[in-house]
Amino acid sequence: MSSATLTVRQIEFEQKSFWRNPGSAFFAFLFPIIFLVVFATLFKGSTVQINGKSISYDDYYIPALVAFGVMGACFTNIAMSLSIRRDDGILKRFRGTPLPPWALIAGVVGSSIIVSIILTVLTTVFGILVYGVHTPQHIDAAVVTVAVGALAFCALGMAMTIVIPNADAAPAIVNAVFLPIVFISGTFFPVPSTSILAQIAEFFPVRHFINAMFTAFDPAHQSSSGFNGTDLLIMAAWGAGAVIIASLRFRWEPRKG
């Protein structure tokens, strides 16, 4: 069996496993929509200033929420699911099969990217139909940004498993790292660049993903191409670093003792 066929088969397996857990799948897609409804209702009729131009809060919020959904599908999902599989001995049993380790990882990453694409489309269409937000101005830039962000946060999710001692600790550790950075990065409301919180957030890829998505959606019509090269490169650098760390320290077996 060729490498491409093996990867496709493993992605199919991961997708079947995902959709066979309807509760998990349902909340994976419902969670961003709930946030959208809550914050769009709270800030109904509000506007925000972006580079001196006033836009509706909903037009600001949709790109940020798309990034949030992708990060949840990739970083959070992979960090937690691989930690649980490792603790249950599933990863160890996979190592005893003819399936190459890279194929397993490719299947997990590929499945997460598929979920990210569905989340992006669903959230964007919901925002357009229900809240009348503008359609993305640069579709090609949005596709590239989602792809770079998804791959980077998949890698970060794998690297995160290194510091998770067991499955029970996974939700607490992942959320303790992820949620504070999400809030200070301007996911749910703009954070002024002069703020100390925004300056701290600049060190992490979350804010750069949100900035890149906002540039691609471009509701203020301020970008000619929709590509935010600096933020894309920073995300890619984080992803590359996470790949190196994960390749060196990733554990297939539960921690002893």
Side-chain angles (χ1 to χ4, degrees):
M1 188 179 295
S2 68
S3 299
T5 303
L6 200 59
T7 301
V8 171
R9 292 284 181 86
Q10 190 60 28
I11 291 175
E12 290 177 353
F13 169 78
E14 294 291 340
Q15 276 289 288
K16 288 179 181 178
S17 298
F18 177 81
W19 294 107
R20 283 173 180 169
N21 187 346
S24 177
F26 177 74
F27 281 102
F29 291 102
L30 184 64
F31 205 42
I33 299 299
I34 291 175
F35 273 117
L36 172 58
V37 172
V38 169
F39 280 90
T41 302
L42 286 174
F43 293 97
K44 183 178 180 180
S46 300
T47 60
V48 296
Q49 292 289 324
I50 303 295
N51 295 328
K53 189 168 183 177
S54 179
I55 63 171
S56 72
Y57 174 81
D58 294 340
D59 276 322
Y60 167 85
Y61 189 42
I62 290 295
L65 196 60
V66 166
F68 175 75
V70 172
M71 290 184 286
C74 295
F75 175 79
T76 305
N77 176 59
I78 287 181
M80 289 189 184
S81 65
L82 287 182
S83 298
I84 293 170
R85 292 188 196 185
R86 182 179 61 201
D87 228 31
D88 290 342
I90 296 175
L91 294 184
K92 182 180 179 180
R93 290 197 291 272
F94 264 117
R95 290 297 300 270
T97 70
L99 182 72
W102 64 261
L104 172 63
I105 300 303
V108 172
V109 171
S111 178
S112 295
I113 291 175
I114 290 173
V115 174
S116 297
I117 293 171
I118 298 173
L119 270 168
T120 298
V121 173
L122 180 63
T123 304
T124 303
V125 170
F126 186 86
I128 292 171
L129 295 179
V130 178
Y131 294 103
V133 301
H134 292 86
T135 58
Q137 299 298 308
H138 310 280
I139 300 296
D140 54 343
V143 170
V144 171
T145 301
V146 169
V148 173
L151 289 171
F153 280 92
C154 281
L156 287 164
M158 290 191 61
M160 189 69 195
T161 63
I162 296 170
V163 300
I164 298 175
N166 53 61
D168 292 336
I173 293 175
V174 171
N175 287 322
V177 171
F178 181 57
L179 292 181
I181 299 175
V182 164
F183 274 96
I184 68 174
S185 296
T187 306
F188 303 115
F189 38 79
V191 178
S193 58
T194 55
S195 166
I196 184 63
L197 294 178
Q199 293 173 21
I200 293 173
E202 287 289 338
F203 290 100
F204 300 98
V206 176
R207 185 172 179 86
H208 297 286
F209 191 13
I210 292 170
N211 289 343
M213 284 305 308
F214 186 83
T215 303
F217 273 65
D218 196 20
H221 303 285
Q222 294 179 324
S223 174
S224 59
S225 66
F227 287 99
N228 191 325
T230 300
D231 289 316
L232 291 175
L233 285 174
I234 291 174
M235 281 195 296
W238 270 89
V243 168
I244 294 172
I245 293 172
S247 64
L248 295 174
R249 301 293 302 278
F250 184 78
R251 291 185 293 112
W252 295 87
E253 299 182 17
R255 183 174 295 173
K256 297 179 181 179

